[in-house]
C-alpha cells in the first residue's frame, strides 16, 4: 500500500520479493504431512507446487468435503449446504492460477481507469471520473465515514502509478500462487479480500491516531504481504530471494520486513509508504495460517485437534 495526500498523489517505489520453488525440506514434510518414507520420497522428487504435491499438501491442511469441494470448516458438498458453501464450491472449481491472473487483471483494469481519469482531467478539464475514483478507490477516513465503506476493499485493487502496479502485480504473480496452491481458490480469495480489509482498518486506525484525515492509501501490498506471511508461517524454513537476489529463510524475510515497516510507521510517517497497512497484512497472513493449521477459527475456538 502507498499513501499520499488526496490533493497530490506521488508514485513511490516498492519492495518486491521473489519466491523460489525449491523442494520442501524433508523435515517439514515428515513433521507436517506424513511419516511414510515412500510418500516423503515421492514429494521430494517433485516441485513444491507441482499438481501432485500441491494436492497432498492441501488435503493434509485443508481436507475436502463430500463431492470434491473444499470444506474449510463448513459443510461443503455438491448441491448441499447453504448458499455460501455452494458459492465456495463454485469458486474452488476455478484453477488457482486463473484466479491469480484474474486478480492481476482487475488491478490492471483499475489502473487503466486512473490513467484515463488523469488524462481527462488534464486534457479535457473533466475531473468527473477522477473524483469518482478518489471517492471510491482511495482509502481514507473521509471516504469511510461518509458511508463509502467499500473503499476498505476497493483500495486493495487501486494503483495510480505505473511503477506501483508493476511491482505489486509482480509480487502477486510470484507470491500468490504459493498461498493459493496450499489453500485452494475460495480460501485464497478470502485471504486476499480479508487481508485487504484488515490492512485498511489498520491503516485507518493509524492515521486516525495521527489525525491525518486526508491522507489516502491504495494498493495491493497488504494482501501480497498476507500471502507471504501465510506461506512463511506454514513453511518457515523455505527459501525466498529478497529483491530477487539475496536468498534467505522466509521467516527471516518476514521478520525483516515487519521490523522495517514498524520503524517506518514510527519514525517515517511521511515516507509515502503506508507502513501501517503493510503491518496489518503481515499480521493477517500469520493469523490466517495459525487458524488454518489448527483446523479453522471455529474449530480452534472449540478446542479441536491441533497440529
Amino acid at each position: 500500500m502507498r499513501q499520499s495526500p488526496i490533493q497530490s498523489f506521488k508514485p513511490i517505489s516498492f519492495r518486491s520479493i521473489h519466491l523460489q520453488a525449491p523442494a520442501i525440506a524433508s523435515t517439514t514434510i515428515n513433521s507436517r504431512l506424513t511419516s511414510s518414507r515412500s510418500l516423503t520420497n515421492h514429494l521430494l522428487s517433485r516441485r513444491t507446487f507441482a499438481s501432485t504435491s500441491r494436492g497432498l499438501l492441501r488435503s493434509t491442511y485443508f481436507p475436502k468435503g463430500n463431492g470434491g469441494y473444499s470444506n474449510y470448516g463448513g459443510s461443503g458438498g455438491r448441491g448441499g449446504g447453504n448458499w455460501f458453501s455452494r458459492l465456495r464450491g463454485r469458486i474452488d472449481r476455478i484453477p488457482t492460477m486463473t484466479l491469480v491472473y484474474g486478480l492481476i487483471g482487475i488491478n490492471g483494469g483499475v489502473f487503466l481507469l486512473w490513467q484515463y481519469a488523469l488524462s481527462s482531467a488534464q486534457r479535457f478539464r473533466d475531473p468527473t471520473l477522477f473524483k469518482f475514483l478518489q471517492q471510491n478507490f482511495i482509502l481514507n477516513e473521509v471516504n469511510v465515514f461518509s458511508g463509502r465503506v467499500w473503499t476498505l476493499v476497493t483500495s486493495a485493487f487501486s494503483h495510480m502509478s505505473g511503477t506501483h502496479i508493476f511491482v505489486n502485480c509482480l509480487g502477486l504473480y510470484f507470491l500468490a500462487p504459493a498461498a493459493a496452491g496450499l489453500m485452494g481458490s475460495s480460501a485464497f480469495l478470502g485471504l486476499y479480500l480479508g487481508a485487504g480489509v484488515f490492512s485498511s482498518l489498520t491503516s485507518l486506525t493509524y492515521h486516525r491516531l495521527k489525525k491525518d484525515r486526508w491522507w489516502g492509501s491504495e494498493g495491493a501490498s497488504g494482501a501480497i504481504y498476507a500471502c507471504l506471511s501465510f506461506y512463511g508461517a506454514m513453511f518457515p524454513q523455505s527459501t525466498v530471494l529478497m529483491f530477487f537476489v539475496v536468498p534467505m529463510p522466509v521467516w527471516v524475510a518476514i521478520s525483516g520486513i515487519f521490523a522495517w515497516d514498524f520503524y517506518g510507521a514510527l519514525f517515517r510517517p511521511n515516507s509515502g509508504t503506508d507502513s501501517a497497512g503493510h503491518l496489518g497484512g503481515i499480521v493477517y497472513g500469520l493469523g490466517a495460517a495459525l487458524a488454518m493449521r489448527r483446523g479453522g477459527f471455529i474449530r480452534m475456538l472449540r478446542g479441536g485437534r491441533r497440529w
Side-chain angles (χ1 to χ4, degrees):
M1 298 177 75
R2 71 183 182 93
Q3 60 182 18
S4 303
I6 293 300
Q7 291 84 350
S8 59
F9 293 97
K10 297 180 181 179
I12 65 162
S13 59
F14 186 76
R15 296 181 300 279
S16 61
I17 303 166
H18 172 58
L19 182 64
Q20 253 185 344
I24 303 173
S26 59
T27 55
T28 302
I29 296 174
N30 289 334
S31 61
R32 301 291 185 189
L33 300 180
T34 180
S35 59
S36 170
R37 183 177 299 274
S38 61
L39 179 56
T40 301
N41 292 335
H42 174 69
L43 286 174
L44 289 171
S45 68
R46 302 183 64 86
R47 292 175 55 202
T48 303
F49 297 108
S51 58
T52 301
S53 301
R54 180 189 302 167
L56 290 170
L57 286 166
R58 192 185 303 160
S59 64
T60 300
Y61 287 105
F62 313 101
K64 299 285 185 178
N66 295 330
Y69 297 125
S70 298
N71 186 25
Y72 312 135
S75 56
R78 193 179 300 274
N82 55 28
W83 67 270
F84 182 75
S85 297
R86 292 193 295 271
L87 175 63
R88 191 170 54 185
R90 292 189 182 95
I91 296 174
D92 278 324
R93 297 179 191 176
I94 304 172
T96 53
M97 281 309 300
T98 300
L99 183 60
V100 172
Y101 290 142
L103 292 174
I104 292 174
I106 294 173
N107 280 278
V110 176
F111 168 74
L112 293 178
L113 279 177
W114 273 113
Q115 303 315 299
Y116 181 76
L118 288 167
S119 177
S120 295
Q122 293 170 358
R123 295 180 59 188
F124 305 112
R125 307 298 181 185
D126 181 8
T128 304
L129 180 58
F130 185 80
K131 289 181 179 179
F132 172 82
L133 293 175
Q134 274 191 340
Q135 292 176 349
N136 293 279
F137 285 86
I138 294 293
L139 173 76
N140 67 2
E141 184 178 327
V142 175
N143 280 341
V144 172
F145 284 90
S146 295
R148 295 184 287 274
V149 293
W150 50 83
T151 55
L152 295 171
V153 177
T154 56
S155 60
F157 295 91
S158 177
H159 302 80
M160 294 181 64
S161 161
T163 303
H164 192 201
I165 189 174
F166 174 76
V167 177
N168 273 3
C169 285
L170 201 64
L172 267 177
Y173 179 79
F174 283 112
L175 295 178
L182 287 172
M183 305 176 76
S185 294
S186 64
F188 167 70
L189 183 60
L191 176 71
Y192 185 97
L193 298 177
V197 171
F198 188 81
S199 60
S200 294
L201 291 173
T202 305
S203 176
L204 274 180
T205 302
Y206 171 80
H207 287 106
R208 185 172 181 82
L209 292 175
K210 294 186 65 64
K211 299 180 171 29
D212 295 330
R213 298 179 69 248
W214 287 97
W215 278 92
S217 299
E218 39 101 23
S221 50
I224 295 169
Y225 277 7
C227 293
L228 175 66
S229 61
F230 174 86
Y231 176 80
M234 301 297 282
F235 302 104
Q237 297 301 325
S238 296
T239 301
V240 297
L241 291 179
M242 195 70 165
F243 305 110
F244 299 96
V245 176
V246 184
M248 63 180 63
V250 66
W251 71 266
V252 175
I254 295 171
S255 300
I257 293 170
F258 187 92
W260 174 253
D261 278 314
F262 190 79
Y263 171 84
L266 291 180
F267 302 108
R268 300 172 65 243
N270 299 320
S271 65
T273 299
D274 191 350
S275 298
H278 291 177
L279 294 174
I282 293 173
V283 170
Y284 188 89
L286 294 175
L290 175 64
M292 291 294 186
R293 287 177 62 140
R294 299 187 178 195
F297 285 108
I298 296 178
R299 186 174 179 180
M300 182 175 67
L301 292 175
R302 290 176 178 175
R305 178 171 62 92
R306 300 184 178 184
W307 294 95

